[in-house]
Amino acid sequence: MRKKTVIANWKMNYDFHETTSFIRNFLKIVFERKINHNKEIIIAPSFPFLHISNQILQGTTLNIAAQNIYQKDKGSYTGEVSASMLKSIGVQKVILGHSERREFFFEKNNVLLEKIKIALKYSFNIIFCVGESFLERSNNKQFEVVKNQLKETVFHCSSDEIKSFYIAYEPVWAIGTGTNATFEQAQTMHEFIRSLFFNKYGENISNKISILYGGSVNDFNAKNFFSQKDIDGGLVGKSSMKLEKFLKIVQS
């Protein structure tokens, strides 16, 4: 069975006290209510708080993820964070290719392929994001865009390496805008993505890879998104920063 996964991407939000307080309170409620059964919950705080977050989550079934890594092993890259640094503090998962990294930091597919390679070198699980802009969807290019994003990055990996991936479909026009893809639009794209994995790697891998939806997921719409045949959970931004809202999304 595919993993049912919910990821909280806190982006550049929450200081030390807000991060640690949220995680401790969230853990307490999760175990009191026993709501983590058969679910994978991943929290992606900011870089400075990964270590303490990992320490708090030690011995639990919850995990953390880094929001990014640099594509080089080490060197004169002021301000960057390497895969080996993250590995040394116990981080095992990383988000790559988020639309904000593509848009604001100009990360192209060739750079993302380098990041994938370095992440695999250090045995990370990779949450890889794909998705189209409003203009691309308006021009009916969404399938072509997503196919190329995978073809030029993830599809360079072997069948064994693919086992380390989650795919997150995030229509860029629906991230943080309050505008959602319809459940049918989301399912259609997830089905398409799964068919690409079937064509490239075969039925076994296409049936097992987790494909998540990210795009203004909230406590009201999560259940309908997650009930779609090919949607295995969510990459959640804003709504993951409110404790009760995120708990409802996890329970969905």
Side-chain angles (χ1 to χ4, degrees):
M1 291 180 62
R2 298 194 297 268
K3 294 177 182 176
K4 295 295 182 181
T5 303
V6 180
I7 303 169
N9 178 20
W10 288 348
K11 308 186 181 186
M12 197 176 72
N13 295 293
Y14 278 176
D15 62 19
F16 177 89
H17 298 291
E18 290 168 325
T19 298
T20 54
S21 175
F22 185 106
I23 291 176
R24 288 191 173 103
N25 289 333
F26 181 73
L27 267 180
K28 184 173 183 288
I29 296 171
V30 162
F31 289 110
E32 282 178 353
R33 301 183 190 176
K34 299 179 180 178
I35 64 173
N36 64 321
H37 182 61
N38 290 334
K39 304 176 188 73
E40 183 178 31
I41 304 169
I42 301 169
I43 297 174
S46 297
F47 276 132
F49 315 125
L50 283 167
H51 191 207
I52 184 64
S53 299
N54 194 42
Q55 288 182 324
I56 295 170
L57 294 176
Q58 284 294 316
T60 76
T61 56
L62 279 68
N63 291 291
I64 60 167
Q67 296 177 21
N68 187 39
I69 56 170
Y70 194 59
Q71 61 266 30
K72 303 295 183 183
D73 233 332
K74 59 179 69 175
S76 302
Y77 306 106
T78 299
E80 295 296 340
V81 178
S82 72
S84 61
M85 292 174 181
L86 294 173
K87 197 74 175 180
S88 73
I89 60 169
V91 179
Q92 297 178 319
K93 301 180 188 294
V94 63
I95 300 170
L96 295 179
H98 193 281
S99 61
E100 291 160 0
R101 297 296 310 179
R102 294 176 189 262
E103 180 181 0
F104 302 133
F105 300 95
F106 312 107
E107 292 187 358
K108 304 299 183 185
N109 288 334
N110 61 321
V111 171
L112 293 173
L113 179 57
E114 288 187 66
K115 292 191 175 198
I116 285 172
K117 289 178 179 177
I118 202 78
L120 290 172
K121 176 181 176 180
Y122 286 92
S123 302
F124 276 78
N125 291 120
I126 299 167
I127 301 137
F128 191 81
C129 303
V130 296
E132 79 284 357
S133 67
F134 176 77
L135 182 61
E136 288 162 341
R137 179 166 278 270
S138 298
N139 291 327
N140 202 32
K141 301 257 186 193
Q142 65 270 28
F143 299 110
E144 178 185 341
V145 168
V146 169
K147 182 178 181 178
N148 285 336
Q149 287 173 338
L150 290 170
K151 183 179 178 181
E152 295 177 10
T153 56
V154 176
F155 286 176
H156 282 259
C157 298
S158 68
S159 297
D160 282 339
E161 289 170 333
I162 284 296
K163 296 172 185 176
S164 299
F165 281 82
Y166 308 73
I167 302 299
Y169 168 60
E170 41 165 26
V172 180
W173 45 275
I175 299 173
T177 63
T179 301
N180 300 99
T182 66
F183 311 128
E184 293 79 11
Q185 285 174 322
Q187 164 57 24
T188 297
M189 181 59 80
H190 280 67
E191 184 178 29
F192 173 71
I193 292 170
R194 201 171 299 285
S195 74
L196 294 176
F197 277 88
F198 177 88
N199 292 336
K200 175 70 177 176
Y201 297 103
E203 183 177 8
N204 188 44
I205 285 175
S206 69
N207 283 339
K208 287 184 177 179
I209 193 162
S210 292
I211 308 176
L212 315 177
Y213 175 73
S216 295
V217 174
N218 59 47
D219 47 322
F220 296 106
N221 61 31
K223 186 173 182 178
N224 284 322
F225 277 119
F226 298 166
S227 66
Q228 302 300 310
K229 177 186 174 185
D230 289 292
I231 299 179
D232 303 312
L235 176 62
V236 187
K238 187 176 180 181
S239 292
S240 71
M241 298 180 62
K242 301 293 183 182
L243 188 60
E244 286 299 329
K245 283 189 176 185
F246 189 52
L247 286 164
K248 287 179 182 177
I249 291 169
V250 171
Q251 287 176 300
S252 296

